[in-house]
Amino acid sequence: MKKLFVAALFMTSFAAFSQTETAALDPMKDKDLMTWYHKDFSSSNVYGINTQNAYKYLESKGLKPKAVTVAVLDSGVEVDHPGLVKNRWKNVNEVPNNGKDDDGNGYIDDVYGWNFIGGKNADIDVDNMEVTRVVKKYQPIFEGPDSTKNKANQAKMPEDFAMYMKAKQAFTTKSIEARQNYETYSRIQKSIPVMMQMLNGKNLTPEVIEGLKPIDQEQKMGASILLQISQNPDISGKSSADVQKFLEAQMKEALDYYEPQATKQYNLDFDPRGEIVGDNYEDYSEKKYGNNHYEGPDAQHGTHVAGIIAGYPQGAEIQYGVGYKAAKIMTVRAVPNGDERDKDVANAVRYAVDNGAKILNMSFGKPVSPGKNVVWDAFKYAEDKGVLLVKAAGNENENIAENVYYPTNFKSVTDEKPFVNNMIVVGASTNDNEFLRADFSNYNQKMVTVFAPGDKIYSTVPDAKYEYLQGTSMAAPVVAGAASVLLAYMPNLKPEQIIESFVKTANKSTVNAMIASNTNNQFNLISEAGGVIDLRKAAEYAFTNFYKATSTPTKSNVKTVKKVIKKK
């Protein structure tokens, strides 16, 4: 799923409307905020990742970057965005739009990547949540009309039954919440004309609010909402026309968020897969399906992620990705508006690896995973090929040892070590040192590797635009971009060496991590690294401990070099 961090707008008796990852900020008011995540902690006291000093250090060693392909496994990317077009990966062995598989990799016209959630005539936008799919599949097996068969199946399939019960609980709770929120905000949207009548052309001031005299239930609700939004300094005192625009925009965003949940994602009767993609979803061995529609119906999430990794300054825009001198973006569309499917994730990983990606960014996740073994096989395949996997920790504000967030690099939470050594799991940090852990970020000292900036991150979005978004979805590409810098300048680095470089050099903090009922409540105790990555320090660590050590010429090499120079 494209995980969306949600922040309350309306409180009191109304269910809290949650914005998507967009933070309500005006980028032109504070250009310094656009690039805060690049800052040097030692000089600014802001937990940025020290991007520019890393480049300066590596170049001071005489190193030259060699472009690294980073695959963005996501909702799609606007590949012709002016901030991305300079750093997009291109399959040079494929002739564009000739309807042929020129390079023989099984995918026709895959010039900039591939889309595993599309078919001949359409692309999937909204899909189910995984808990919905699990309940639909297993409910007849475990809770059908024949109780004897139910018990036999439960005994015969204990792991599937446990997954079903977990999914059923989540499905029941979330589907009710989705319907209630959808109904609430539909009602508020319909009441906007009533609120405008109550304002009667006046500005939204305390005196006007105090003078409201609601006479029925609808007006009482309208007065309550007006009172709440009047506390917002961005709208307080504004004209009734501005208030109307504000409310209409907020309600549209709320309904755009909750309507798909209520009508599709948690709907047992909704399944777009067969009609659109046309594959046999239960056949995990099937790989050749999809199309080359890189953007898809909604590429906001993936385009933002791509910009964090490799965005390039253009025009008046100063935004740049961490790996803007290092990375080329390969687009692999596998994440709908809903939960990603395990078959697509596994195929996306293999496609990216087979087509030359050295780093894979995975800003998605879910609580249950019926095909986890297929995904784990793909992770092992990536490990064998020397490819780094960068994974978002998730936005549920949970300990992921207690609430597993798939796909994971631990086959069991009781395992001491991950089963692959090429995955780095990333939590989200902020630019507020007192509240350094973003309050939505998942955490765990063993299962989260590092933290990286993931709050108020400014980057590319479709239609050649830029926005602030937040989530561990934003923190992961910060690390993917940072890894691309190390690998571009030191191509022989192995994934485990890159991970070690980030873990050993993170900027630590003992500030309160703001986690309820957690005895180990310090920030340095909620990830393996105990801090926020510092690319400059990681570059020096990698150069000193890995690159320099393996690149020192032997005596025989020195003689050969001297002979070549003498001949010239």
Side-chain angles (χ1 to χ4, degrees):
M1 176 192 179
K2 287 185 298 181
K3 288 298 179 186
L4 300 173
F5 168 63
V6 292
L9 174 67
F10 295 113
M11 305 301 289
T12 67
S13 61
F14 301 104
F17 162 52
S18 306
Q19 293 186 335
T20 65
E21 290 165 343
T22 306
L25 298 167
D26 182 355
M28 301 314 294
K29 289 182 179 178
D30 189 357
K31 288 192 174 184
D32 191 49
L33 189 60
M34 291 180 179
T35 56
W36 78 263
Y37 59 97
H38 294 299
K39 287 187 175 183
D40 171 14
F41 173 70
S42 65
S43 62
S44 68
N45 198 36
V46 173
Y47 280 90
I49 69 162
N50 209 357
T51 305
Q52 290 301 332
N53 285 331
Y55 280 113
K56 290 176 183 177
Y57 173 81
L58 291 165
E59 289 166 3
S60 75
K61 299 300 180 182
L63 303 178
K64 304 292 183 183
K66 182 179 179 182
V68 174
T69 300
V70 181
V72 174
L73 279 57
D74 216 290
S75 65
V77 175
E78 186 178 76
V79 296
D80 57 353
H81 190 292
L84 295 174
V85 67
K86 191 171 181 177
N87 279 336
R88 64 183 176 186
W89 169 82
K90 186 174 182 180
N91 183 352
V92 296
N93 297 316
E94 194 75 22
V95 178
N97 304 318
N98 68 350
K100 298 179 181 179
D101 180 18
D102 300 290
D103 61 359
N105 69 351
Y107 302 95
I108 296 172
D109 289 336
D110 58 324
V111 178
Y112 302 117
W114 194 249
N115 171 23
F116 283 100
I117 51 175
K120 291 182 179 179
N121 302 312
D123 299 301
I124 287 179
D125 182 7
V126 182
D127 202 347
N128 311 113
M129 308 303 285
E130 191 66 73
V131 294
T132 306
R133 295 192 283 263
V134 169
V135 170
K136 182 176 182 178
K137 179 178 179 178
Y138 288 103
Q139 193 170 55
I141 297 172
F142 297 131
E143 295 189 298
D146 189 329
S147 60
T148 301
K149 284 186 177 180
N150 294 341
K151 291 180 180 179
N153 289 333
Q154 293 167 15
K156 185 170 59 177
M157 307 163 65
E159 185 177 346
D160 290 333
F161 179 60
M163 178 180 65
Y164 167 71
M165 294 303 291
K166 180 180 180 179
K168 179 185 175 183
Q169 181 179 9
F171 171 80
T172 302
T173 302
K174 296 292 186 180
S175 60
I176 292 172
E177 288 178 1
R179 287 195 300 273
Q180 289 176 339
N181 285 323
Y182 180 49
E183 291 168 0
T184 296
Y185 294 110
S186 295
R187 193 167 73 250
I188 294 174
Q189 184 187 51
K190 292 177 182 177
S191 72
I192 292 177
V194 173
M195 287 185 262
M196 294 305 100
Q197 288 179 347
M198 295 175 73
L199 281 181
N200 194 26
K202 298 175 182 177
N203 290 2
L204 187 66
T205 64
E207 293 77 18
V208 169
I209 295 296
E210 190 174 340
L212 296 176
K213 306 296 182 184
I215 59 175
D216 56 30
Q217 196 61 36
E218 192 171 20
Q219 286 193 357
K220 287 179 181 179
M221 182 179 74
S224 177
I225 293 170
L226 290 172
L227 175 62
Q228 291 172 64
I229 67 172
S230 70
Q231 311 303 313
N232 184 337
D234 292 332
I235 199 65
S236 179
K238 294 294 179 69
S239 70
S240 59
D242 288 336
V243 172
Q244 182 173 352
K245 289 179 182 178
F246 174 81
L247 285 168
E248 288 174 348
Q250 295 299 319
M251 290 307 101
K252 181 182 184 304
E253 192 169 0
L255 293 173
D256 285 348
Y257 182 73
Y258 286 116
E259 189 272 339
Q261 292 185 20
T263 63
K264 296 178 180 178
Q265 293 177 359
Y266 293 103
N267 181 350
L268 293 172
D269 296 323
F270 176 74
D271 185 0
R273 183 74 180 202
E275 182 179 347
I276 292 178
V277 179
D279 65 324
N280 176 8
Y281 180 65
E282 295 297 328
D283 181 3
Y284 284 102
S285 68
E286 192 176 9
K287 295 177 174 60
K288 304 303 189 290
Y289 59 92
N291 62 39
N292 67 344
H293 300 169
Y294 316 109
E295 188 169 347
D298 181 5
Q300 183 199 41
H301 192 272
T303 304
H304 199 270
V305 166
I308 296 170
I309 297 169
Y312 208 90
Q314 54 89 25
E317 291 290 347
I318 64 172
Q319 187 274 344
Y320 64 95
V322 180
Y324 76 112
K325 291 184 180 182
K328 299 294 183 184
I329 298 297
M330 175 192 292
T331 299
V332 190
R333 188 168 182 264
V335 185
N337 184 358
D339 275 341
E340 65 283 353
R341 297 183 183 236
D342 295 324
K343 176 180 178 179
D344 300 331
V345 172
N347 284 331
V349 169
R350 290 178 180 273
Y351 172 90
V353 172
D354 288 343
N355 287 277
K358 301 306 293 183
I359 300 169
L360 276 56
N361 187 87
M362 301 184 293
S363 290
F364 52 78
K366 56 190 178 182
V368 294
S369 179
K372 58 183 179 292
N373 289 317
V374 177
V375 176
W376 284 338
D377 287 344
F379 285 0
K380 186 65 179 172
Y381 181 74
E383 180 188 45
D384 293 342
K385 298 292 185 178
V387 174
L388 176 69
L389 305 175
V390 184
K391 171 74 170 56
N395 301 333
E396 287 73 25
N397 186 26
E398 293 177 342
N399 182 339
I400 57 173
E402 299 172 359
N403 300 280
V404 181
Y405 188 69
Y406 292 99
T408 174
N409 54 343
F410 284 81
K411 290 194 172 182
S412 170
V413 296
T414 60
D415 293 346
E416 288 298 318
K417 294 181 179 180
F419 77 96
V420 288
N421 64 7
N422 64 327
M423 182 186 285
I424 184 167
V425 180
V426 188
S429 58
T430 75
N431 62 348
D432 185 338
N433 294 359
E434 185 179 355
F435 301 95
L436 189 55
R437 181 186 73 93
D439 60 8
F440 51 80
S441 180
N442 289 346
Y443 54 88
N444 180 262
Q445 191 169 24
K446 180 177 71 173
M447 299 180 73
V448 174
T449 319
V450 297
F451 271 71
D455 181 53
K456 303 183 187 72
I457 305 298
Y458 186 71
S459 184
T460 49
V461 292
D463 300 325
K465 295 178 181 178
Y466 293 77
E467 286 182 8
Y468 285 97
L469 303 182
Q470 59 191 23
T472 58
S473 285
M474 284 62 250
V478 169
V479 174
S484 77
V485 176
L486 298 185
L487 197 57
Y489 285 88
M490 296 175 280
N492 293 330
L493 289 180
K494 299 176 181 178
E496 61 268 30
Q497 293 172 333
I498 294 173
I499 295 171
E500 180 180 327
S501 298
F502 288 135
V503 170
K504 294 291 187 181
T505 61
N507 290 317
K508 299 180 185 294
S509 171
T510 57
V511 70
N512 193 323
M514 304 298 175
I515 298 170
S517 69
N518 183 9
T519 54
N520 296 328
N521 211 12
Q522 295 177 181
F523 185 80
N524 62 318
L525 299 176
I526 60 170
S527 69
E528 181 185 352
V532 178
I533 69 163
D534 188 309
L535 180 53
R536 163 62 178 80
K537 292 180 181 178
E540 183 174 0
Y541 185 94
F543 180 80
T544 302
N545 291 280
F546 304 126
Y547 185 77
K548 187 178 179 182
T550 59
S551 61
T552 301
T554 63
K555 290 182 179 179
S556 59
N557 286 337
V558 171
K559 289 179 181 178
T560 303
V561 170
K562 287 181 178 178
K563 287 180 181 179
V564 171
I565 293 173
K566 190 173 182 180
K567 286 181 180 179
K568 287 184 178 178

